[in-house]
Amino acid sequence: RVTPNNYINYITVINPKDITTKEYVNQGAFGCVWKALWRQEGRDRTIALKRVTARDEFEKRAAKNEIEILSCLNHDHIVTLYGYYMKDDNCFLVMEYCDSSLKEYLQYHTSIAEIRAVLIAIADGLAYAASRHIVHHDLKVMAFSSDER
């Protein structure tokens, strides 16, 4: 079960100089997301960079909660948190990049078998989170990876 322990202490703190923002992707309830590159050991990895505003104690706690929760999840059908960094009044989450939205994917993958596979993958990810006593309160179709892992 996720509790407000010190999970955040075990998450990689990313050097912001290793991040190159490429393009704006979307705005959510708690922040903006950009497609970016993360330079690691001489190689660039495409990532999603999520900026979470952390100006006051409520926003700081919300950012810390997101980091704590994502750091506890390790599943093929749940976005991976690689690390984070703080800059000014913002917390930046360095996350797995999802290449399309579910809506876009379903426009071109319309067979019953493809739709069933997607629904099973979503249910599998949600069941895993529930087994960790985590309930997704903001499920949407924006983040979706069609990559086979």
Side-chain angles (χ1 to χ4, degrees):
R1 181 170 179 212
V2 176
T3 57
N5 291 331
N6 293 321
Y7 292 116
I8 199 166
N9 294 333
Y10 301 104
I11 300 301
T12 302
V13 177
I14 307 292
N15 183 344
K17 293 179 182 177
D18 294 335
I19 304 294
T20 304
T21 304
K22 291 305 210 182
E23 63 187 74
Y24 174 81
V25 175
N26 195 12
Q27 170 106 20
F30 289 102
C32 299
V33 178
W34 288 270
K35 183 177 182 180
L37 296 177
W38 175 24
R39 174 66 76 168
Q40 283 184 289
E41 301 173 4
R43 301 178 115 176
D44 287 335
R45 170 185 265 184
T46 300
I47 53 119
L49 182 64
K50 181 176 182 178
R51 183 189 72 204
V52 179
T53 306
R55 291 180 298 252
D56 58 33
E57 286 307 310
F58 175 79
E59 290 176 340
K60 287 177 185 173
R61 185 68 221 154
K64 185 176 179 185
N65 283 344
E66 185 162 2
I67 292 168
E68 289 173 349
I69 290 169
L70 285 172
S71 70
C72 294
L73 300 174
N74 181 16
H75 191 274
D76 285 345
H77 303 299
I78 297 176
V79 68
T80 301
L81 174 68
Y82 299 125
Y84 75 100
Y85 64 90
M86 302 296 293
K87 186 175 180 184
D88 302 322
D89 286 335
N90 296 294
C91 176
F92 290 87
L93 306 181
V94 177
M95 306 171 77
E96 175 183 5
Y97 179 74
C98 298
D99 59 358
S100 68
S101 73
L102 180 57
K103 180 180 177 182
E104 291 167 352
Y105 181 82
L106 291 176
Q107 287 176 341
Y108 302 103
H109 300 84
T110 58
S111 75
I112 297 298
E114 290 170 315
I115 294 169
R116 181 177 185 270
V118 167
L119 292 174
I120 289 171
I122 292 168
D124 192 37
L126 289 171
Y128 170 80
S131 76
R132 305 288 308 243
H133 304 283
I134 298 168
V135 177
H136 197 302
H137 63 90
D138 187 26
L139 190 61
K140 56 186 169 277
V141 299
M142 291 309 300
F144 177 75
S145 179
S146 61
D147 294 339
E148 292 294 324
R149 299 186 203 184

